[in-house]
Amino acid sequence: MALTGAREIKRDSRVLAHLANTPGDAQVHQIGAALGLRDRSVARSLDRLTDDGLAVSLDTDDQPLPLRTYRPADHPTTLSIRHVDFHPVIVTATTDHPAAHPALTRPDLRIVRADSVRPGDLIVSAFAATPDGRLRSTDYFACGAYPAIPQPYDPECGCGVCGTPEVEGLEGTVVLSTSYPWESCDPWPADELVLVLPRPDLP
């Protein structure tokens, strides 16, 4: 029976987390023994992580599967693992932007729906569209992270962004900021995922 996408993502995140926290390189059988997974299951996760640019294979295809060796795509010291609200946050690359860089090392960094972002939360990143069963990836805004100032959504506000098809979600639309950091509203589909650093005085 095939694994569901959610289970594959969870397994992939466990494998990547193990790679990130293992000094040096790791072989398939070592990862499997540490995580209680079969070698073939580990190998499937590593194949996906390699395809997604998150892991690097150090062997040729003729190497026996249990002995195949992998490392994270980035230097291990640039990775950190956060598990918040059952969403694994795996930081594989950093940014020099002064507003975003400090947030990436915070243990309270979390993934929430756009309609769960609260006033004062720091919006760090959006998530790119990803095929089912693959880890969701993000990129950083050129403007850097910015504070959320949620406002009611008005598709007729005239800002040039509200009311466009791209921001209309099946569960509605929320506005997370107006005029900053762009000269327009910042509407998001309500169910879209957002990487945020919660406001310190909120639970």
Side-chain angles (χ1 to χ4, degrees), residues 16-140:
L16 183 57
H18 182 81
L19 276 181
N21 291 296
T22 299
D25 309 320
Q27 294 181 326
V28 169
H29 75 96
Q30 294 171 329
I31 300 171
L35 300 180
L37 297 171
R38 295 181 178 180
D39 289 350
R40 192 165 298 279
S41 296
V42 172
R44 283 197 293 265
S45 285
L46 288 167
D47 284 344
R48 284 191 294 271
L49 293 170
T50 301
D51 289 343
D52 292 343
L54 296 173
V56 175
S57 173
L58 304 180
D59 298 305
T60 59
D61 290 339
D62 58 359
Q63 181 77 359
L65 186 147
L67 300 180
R68 292 179 187 172
T69 305
Y70 292 81
R71 64 171 174 80
D74 293 285
H75 192 277
T77 58
T78 69
L79 283 99
S80 63
I81 310 301
R82 303 283 181 252
H83 288 277
V84 182
D85 292 346
F86 304 104
H87 291 289
V89 180
I90 305 175
V91 180
T92 58
T94 188
T95 172
D96 292 330
H97 197 287
H101 182 83
L104 300 178
T105 61
R106 292 282 298 272
D108 46 349
L109 191 70
R110 67 178 62 187
I111 303 169
V112 299
R113 285 170 47 116
D115 58 2
S116 295
V117 175
R118 300 166 297 182
D121 286 349
L122 192 66
I123 300 172
V124 179
S125 180
F127 284 79
T130 307
D132 290 342
R134 309 305 276 263
L135 292 173
R136 299 289 299 271
S137 62
T138 74
D139 202 351
Y140 302 112

Side-chain angles (χ1 to χ4, degrees), residues 165-203:
E166 292 82 359
V167 304
E168 299 289 343
L170 295 176
E171 300 182 34
T173 303
V174 295
V175 173
L176 298 185
S177 180
T178 58
S179 74
Y180 180 83
W182 301 281
E183 295 181 359
S184 67
C185 296
D186 183 27
W188 295 61
D191 60 347
E192 191 163 322
L193 296 180
V194 190
L195 183 64
V196 302
L197 184 66
R199 201 175 84 189
D201 59 336
L202 292 175

Side-chain angles (χ1 to χ4, degrees), residues 1-15 41 44-45 48-49 131-135:
M1 182 176 67
L3 290 174
T4 63
R7 290 179 63 190
E8 288 178 338
I9 290 172
K10 182 177 180 180
R11 188 179 68 199
D12 292 355
S13 68
R14 291 179 64 203
V15 171
S41 296
R44 283 197 293 265
S45 285
R48 284 191 294 271
L49 293 170
D132 290 342
R134 309 305 276 263
L135 292 173

